[in-house]
Structures are given as structure tokens and as C-alpha cells.
Amino acid sequence: MRARLRAWAELLRLPALCTVPGDVLAGAAAAAVRPNRRTLLAIGASVCLYEAGMALNDWADRAEDAVDRPHRPLPSGRVRPAAALTAAGALTAAGLGLAARAGRPALTVAAPLAATVWAYDLALKHTPAGPASMAAARALDLLLGAAATAGRTRAAVPSAALLSSHTLAVTTVSRTETRGGSTAAPLAALATTALLTHRLPAARGDAAPRGLPGPTLTAALTALYAATAARPYTHAALNPSPPLTQRAVGAGIRATVPLQAALAARSGARGSALLVAALAPLGARLAKRVSIT
């Protein structure tokens, strides 16, 4: 049973799950509405759709993984392909169901989000549109938080654009993680990180909670974001070997959490920002046991 649970944890990339709630909470913060019951439903929907994408990803890549990643759960035989596909379908249905309970605006965003997840895994991943479709999925996930919490998404569009820019950069780097050799992708990701680091602190509602010394909360979280991503990107650019490229991808995924927290903080949602930031050490701890990529 323990081996089976570990196989599913690897399939679903359990550490990456810590990057999911922050999308919804950053979206709710951008809409300037306190999290409520609908926000919790949206987080549940987001988690289900994200994990559906993880299961579907391995199902779609099972032939490629048999060559490049034979240790993965499907090619190693620890999880049956039919089980992974069934899980993807069930999690998608659960995600849409939770979004429907959060209200029509949430379902209006969740439906194209689910479609984007399936389109990416089944058709777009290995095309030039792959990184853009992944970025669109992250943007929609953030907008889901605004739609569920406030019933509107317009105010959350700038935050969604910043998050999607980061996701576009990380996904572009990930396309060469098994073979390496790309200097341009990590350099572009490094430039994106620098741009976001410059842009994040300049926004409304940036006020640090009592007791936080030095910089404001947004600036502190922005610095954490930059520190998490910049060094691995630099190493991958200088030596684009598979191990360093994979390390850069993992760092980029982990950097999503402080980025989400900074987005929430710059909208004035200090509690949400600190809650999201607390997920970072949890994700790092889980990543020591299960690969995040």
C-alpha cells in the first residue's frame, strides 16, 4: 500500500500541488473581496483540475516516458495507464462540479480552464503553442478565484498576466529538461524574473503587517520570488545540461508560490499573502521525497 501511494504521489506530482491554492487566493485578492465559501470551492476545483492535468500528462506521455523517464509510475508499471486516464476524467468532473457549486461565474472560467488542460496534454504540449497554453491555464486559474469570490474578473486581469508570464517562461525551459542544450530558454526566464521583480512592488494596497521589519510585505515576497528562481536559471544558462535544466524547472515551479503571495500582498490581502507564502516550505519539504517535475 505504501508503494502504491508513493506511485500516485509521483504521478500527481504532490509537491507541485502547493502551487495551486495561491492562484485562487491571488485572484480573490485582486478582486478586492475577502475569501469566502465560494473561494474554498474554487480552491477545491483548482486542485482537482490541476491534478487531472498531472494524471493526463503522464498518460499522454507514456510512450515518451518509457524512453526518457522509465522510472515514472506508468512506464515502470506501478500505475496502470487506464487508471491514470480514469483519474484524469474523474478529477476533471469533480473540479467542474465544485466550480458549479461556487456559482455560474466560476463555472464560466472553470470550463475553458479544463478544456485548456486537456488540450495542452493531448495536443498542444509538443507544439509551439504549448508554453502559451500552459500560461493561459495559470491565468484562468487565477481568474477562477476572482470569478468565484466576487463574481467578476476584470480587476484580476493584471495579476493573471504577471502570473502567466512567469508560467510561460518556466514551461519554455521545461521543454528541454530531458536533453538540455538550450541557453536561450533559461536566459529568457531570467529576464522574465527580473521584469516581474521590478513590476510587482509597484501596485495599490501595499502595506506590511505590524511587526514586519524593513521592506514591505510585497517587497519581501518579491525578493523571495527572485531568490528562488534567478540562481537556478543562471546556472542552466551557463551550463544547459539536463540536471541543471531540470533544477531550473523545479525552482521555477517553486517560485510560483512566493509570486502568488506577492500578488496577493500588493492587492492588500496580507492574510492571504502570508497563508500562500506558508505553502512554500511545505512544497520544498515534499519535493525532497517526490520529484516536482
Side-chain angles (χ1 to χ4, degrees):
M1 178 61 70
R2 185 175 181 179
R4 186 177 181 183
L5 289 175
R6 180 176 179 82
W8 278 95
E10 291 180 22
L11 177 73
L12 299 176
R13 292 170 176 83
L14 194 60
L17 194 60
C18 293
T19 72
V20 179
D23 288 345
V24 173
L25 290 172
V33 176
R34 288 182 178 274
N36 51 41
R37 174 180 171 275
R38 294 187 301 275
T39 311
L40 294 177
L41 289 169
I43 290 175
S46 176
V47 166
C48 288
L49 294 176
Y50 186 89
E51 293 292 35
M54 293 296 100
L56 186 63
N57 175 80
D58 274 34
W59 181 85
D61 284 354
R62 61 194 186 280
E64 176 185 332
D65 285 348
V67 177
D68 294 333
R69 310 174 189 87
H71 61 280
R72 292 292 299 162
L74 267 62
S76 66
R78 290 176 293 149
V79 175
R80 293 182 296 108
L85 183 60
T86 299
L91 286 165
T92 300
L96 292 175
L98 288 170
R101 291 190 62 187
R104 181 175 295 180
L107 182 60
T108 301
V109 176
L113 171 57
T116 302
V117 168
W118 280 73
Y120 172 81
D121 283 332
L122 298 182
L124 300 177
K125 183 189 309 181
H126 300 298
T127 73
S133 61
M134 179 64 78
R138 274 289 182 183
L140 287 168
D141 204 31
L142 188 146
L143 295 177
L144 174 61
T149 305
R152 57 185 184 274
T153 60
R154 179 175 295 182
V157 170
S159 291
L162 294 176
L163 180 61
S164 67
S165 297
H166 168 74
T167 305
L168 178 65
V170 177
T171 308
T172 301
V173 175
S174 74
R175 289 165 75 87
T176 61
E177 67 175 324
T178 60
R179 61 183 185 276
S182 173
T183 296
L187 279 177
L190 187 61
T192 300
T193 301
L195 178 61
L196 292 179
T197 300
H198 173 71
R199 292 279 298 173
L200 277 168
R204 69 186 190 281
D206 183 21
R210 293 179 181 177
L212 183 69
T216 63
L217 180 58
T218 303
L221 292 168
T222 300
L224 178 60
Y225 160 68
T228 303
R231 187 174 180 179
Y233 286 157
T234 302
H235 288 169
L238 294 174
N239 179 12
S241 62
L244 289 181
T245 303
Q246 291 167 13
R247 192 174 300 171
V249 174
I253 295 172
R254 291 193 300 273
T256 303
V257 176
L259 173 58
Q260 295 162 335
L263 290 171
R266 79 178 202 148
S267 297
R270 296 173 296 177
S272 293
L274 292 172
L275 177 61
V276 173
L279 294 173
L282 175 60
R285 186 173 182 178
L286 290 173
K288 293 180 180 180
R289 298 188 177 186
V290 179
S291 175
I292 198 171
T293 68

